Amino acid sequence: MSIRNMNTLTTRYIADINSSDYEFNRYGAANFQGEVSVTELMVASASFSHWKGVSDIIFDSISDKFSSSGKDVYCFIVSPCWKKNTRLVRHFALSKALQKDYNVGLLNFEFEKEVISSDEVIFYGVVKLTSENCTSVFNLLSIYENGILFSSSEPESKLFEILVEELMKLIDTKNTRASYSFNIVKAVNLIISEGEKALYPYAWEDTGEYHLDIFECEN
């Protein structure tokens, strides 16, 4: 990899990803509904560095893209796995558990809630994406695939509340500790069907490339 190309933001726009050779992380040719466009933001680094040094570049690009519309980017985050529904687990809930178990800095969640299935529990919450937490958020989502980013201008609005409630329904409620308890493709389809943009970060470890894709419905 050329030193000249490292830490340089590259942008690619695909008008209709369903009729292109676009591949979405582990999902390959994912089944997106309707005519969906994607703007790919990519930064190449010298090595796999868990988003350090590249997340700020991508965050600045996101900020530029959304500043004119008056919208911010929020992240819907789910616990990476189900846990036994104990007093200690409920004490740590989501933000404290992420900090303790996954080396994530303390995230200032707008709110946290729980989903109980039999004797196990999983937590979800929403946090606003900032320059201070973007490295942690991008790294967490790209490794554990446990959340989705979305645009919104009014976090106190009914639409925001309904969107979060619908995202909560996508959590796999089976009584399991398996990873991937949240369906990213369904989440993207849900967000863009409500007229918002869905964003998702991922990294290719073998190439040291860091991507963030911005999805929107063209219909």
Side-chain angles (χ1 to χ4, degrees), residues 155-170:
E156 294 83 16
S157 70
K158 190 65 177 177
L159 179 60
F160 187 98
E161 180 183 341
I162 292 173
L163 179 57
V164 171
E165 288 178 353
E166 292 300 312
L167 287 171
M168 180 273 290
K169 294 177 183 178
L170 300 181

Side-chain angles (χ1 to χ4, degrees), residues 171-191:
I171 299 172
D172 185 354
T173 55
K174 290 185 297 184
N175 189 5
T176 175
R177 291 183 177 84
S179 298
Y180 308 123
S181 56
F182 186 67
N183 192 309
I184 303 299
V185 173
K186 287 184 178 180
V188 171
N189 284 324
L190 172 63
I191 292 166

Side-chain angles (χ1 to χ4, degrees), residues 193-219:
S193 71
E194 295 295 337
E196 296 292 0
K197 293 181 175 62
L199 305 88
Y200 194 75
Y202 57 96
W204 298 117
E205 295 185 32
D206 54 343
T207 62
E209 292 178 353
Y210 297 82
H211 296 251
L212 184 135
D213 291 354
I214 304 175
F215 303 86
E216 58 186 311
C217 184
E218 292 298 306
N219 294 338

Side-chain angles (χ1 to χ4, degrees), residues 14-217:
I14 305 170
D16 183 1
I17 56 181
N18 289 320
S19 61
S20 71
D21 60 354
Y22 172 82
E23 291 188 359
F24 179 46
N25 205 12
R26 71 180 175 92
Y27 296 96
N31 183 26
F32 293 102
Q33 299 170 2
E35 188 171 325
V36 180
S37 68
V38 64
T39 302
E40 290 184 314
L41 307 178
M42 190 271 285
V43 177
S45 184
S47 63
F48 187 60
S49 60
H50 301 286
W51 292 89
K52 292 179 180 177
V54 297
S55 58
D56 288 342
I57 298 172
I58 290 179
F59 177 79
D60 288 345
S61 178
I62 294 173
S63 298
D64 289 343
K65 288 180 181 296
F66 286 95
S67 60
S68 61
S69 64
K71 294 192 175 184
D72 292 308
V73 175
Y74 293 85
C75 185
F76 179 89
I77 299 179
V78 184
S79 304
C81 63
W82 290 83
K83 292 184 178 181
K84 286 291 183 181
N85 187 10
T86 66
R87 183 179 299 176
L88 183 61
V89 167
R90 291 195 302 272
H91 167 73
F92 279 103
L94 181 59
S95 58
K96 291 179 182 177
L98 292 175
Q99 186 180 28
K100 178 175 71 76
D101 298 335
Y102 300 97
N103 196 29
V104 175
L106 189 62
L107 301 175
N108 294 316
F109 280 88
E110 303 281 331
F111 60 84
E112 298 181 31
K113 295 185 178 181
E114 64 185 32
V115 177
I116 298 175
S117 178
S118 185
D119 62 341
E120 295 193 326
V121 63
I122 199 167
F123 300 91
Y124 70 92
V126 172
V127 62
K128 181 179 176 180
L129 188 71
T130 66
S131 58
E132 290 77 21
N133 67 22
C134 62
T135 299
S136 293
V137 169
F138 291 168
N139 192 43
L140 183 70
L141 266 58
S142 63
I143 292 177
Y144 299 103
E145 302 188 14
N146 63 321
I148 188 76
L149 295 149
F150 62 93
S151 62
S152 181
S153 56
E154 300 178 8
E156 294 83 16
S157 70
K158 190 65 177 177
L159 179 60
F160 187 98
E161 180 183 341
I162 292 173
L163 179 57
V164 171
E165 288 178 353
E166 292 300 312
L167 287 171
M168 180 273 290
K169 294 177 183 178
L170 300 181
I171 299 172
D172 185 354
T173 55
K174 290 185 297 184
N175 189 5
T176 175
R177 291 183 177 84
S179 298
Y180 308 123
S181 56
F182 186 67
N183 192 309
I184 303 299
V185 173
K186 287 184 178 180
V188 171
N189 284 324
L190 172 63
I191 292 166
I192 62 177
S193 71
E194 295 295 337
E196 296 292 0
K197 293 181 175 62
L199 305 88
Y200 194 75
Y202 57 96
W204 298 117
E205 295 185 32
D206 54 343
T207 62
E209 292 178 353
Y210 297 82
H211 296 251
L212 184 135
D213 291 354
I214 304 175
F215 303 86
E216 58 186 311
C217 184

